Amino acid sequence: VQPAGQFNGTAIFRPHAFFYEPSYAGCALAFAFPLGVALQDRWNGSKAGGTLASSLILGAVLMTSSRSAILGVLLVLLIVGAGGLFRRQIPLLKKTLKVLLATALLLSLLSFTRETRDYFGFFLGPLGPKAVVSRLPDADSSEGWRLQNVLNSLRLWGERPLLGRGVIPSPSNGKVLHGMGQSSESMWLEIGVESGLIGFLAFGYALFRTIRRSTAACRDRDL
């Protein structure tokens, strides 16, 4: 776990995977969440077990307090909701609603302890949207540094928009080391900085084709 200070006198520790980063653990769980929802009925033949498994995954995402992971889950829910409404997939919407209700029940049971209430309060307070916005002008804060990194990445991409700048070596102690460097914290912006618009579109197309072929294979196998 990663110590994150105190809230109402309670020591707050955020779970993480490696490199002291809760987002790694949260985003891994966020990737698993849509699979759990889609395959609920195949969970050892038990619909209740599938709902519980998906709820545990969603609850774990929230407990990591990773904003990246939570945004990912919200995007999944938005896509599922829009797809279910426009394609009239009512069973999928019902499954998702059951998962949300079960997750809310599980988290409400946890909230009976003071430590958990303080943990949620820390996430909604110091890590909440209002606090994040207030720290954006401060370049020394985590949020302000990330914003400056995004703006700098866009500037670098704009200098060579079509073909990019290539891999930038990593400087160390005033010397240039041979090897891959990294300009942006965002994978998408890093691709744009290194390979320009052409590389960005090629990567996006490859990702689209991978997803399309995977869904087609699942459909053929009735998954």
Side-chain angles (χ1 to χ4, degrees):
V1 295
Q2 175 186 4
Q6 292 193 350
F7 184 83
N8 287 343
T10 299
I12 302 297
F13 295 90
R14 301 177 67 194
H16 66 82
F18 55 89
F19 199 58
Y20 298 99
E21 180 51 72
S23 293
Y24 287 127
C27 289
L29 291 166
F31 276 116
F33 174 65
L35 294 177
V37 173
L39 301 177
Q40 276 187 63
D41 297 340
R42 298 177 180 271
W43 186 269
N44 294 329
S46 170
K47 292 183 178 181
T51 300
L52 178 60
S54 301
S55 303
L56 290 173
I57 293 173
L58 180 56
V61 170
L62 297 176
M63 293 299 291
T64 62
S65 68
S66 166
R67 289 163 291 189
S68 300
I70 292 174
L71 287 175
V73 166
L74 290 176
L75 179 60
V76 168
L77 293 175
L78 179 63
I79 293 173
V80 169
L85 290 174
F86 286 112
R87 301 187 65 177
R88 297 182 180 180
Q89 295 183 357
I90 304 302
L92 178 60
L93 294 177
K94 289 182 177 179
K95 291 179 186 178
T96 306
L97 181 59
K98 288 180 181 179
V99 171
L100 293 177
L101 292 175
T103 304
L105 177 61
L106 291 174
L107 294 179
S108 64
L109 292 176
L110 286 176
S111 65
F112 280 108
T113 65
R114 175 178 176 271
E115 290 79 7
T116 306
R117 290 196 300 270
D118 288 340
Y119 184 81
F120 290 151
F122 171 79
F123 179 66
L124 296 174
L127 290 184
K130 186 176 180 180
V132 168
V133 173
S134 68
R135 289 193 293 265
L136 286 177
D138 182 8
D140 292 329
S141 67
S142 175
E143 294 80 6
W145 179 86
R146 295 183 192 189
L147 176 61
Q148 293 302 317
N149 183 265
V150 168
L151 295 176
N152 184 60
S153 300
L154 292 173
R155 179 184 62 80
L156 292 174
W157 188 355
E159 291 177 355
R160 297 181 182 178
L162 192 59
L163 297 177
R165 303 168 58 91
V167 177
I168 303 174
S170 302
S172 177
N173 297 327
K175 298 180 180 180
V176 175
L177 299 179
H178 295 289
M180 293 191 300
Q182 183 177 351
S183 302
S184 178
E185 288 294 301
S186 167
M187 176 192 74
W188 296 98
L189 291 178
E190 182 67 21
I191 292 172
V193 171
E194 292 184 5
S195 56
L197 183 61
I198 293 178
F200 183 86
L201 293 177
F203 182 82
Y205 177 73
L207 183 61
F208 168 77
R209 288 288 297 174
T210 300
I211 295 174
R212 186 172 182 179
R213 293 184 65 177
S214 299
T215 53
C218 289
R219 192 181 301 113
D220 293 340
R221 298 177 184 179
D222 191 29
L223 293 177

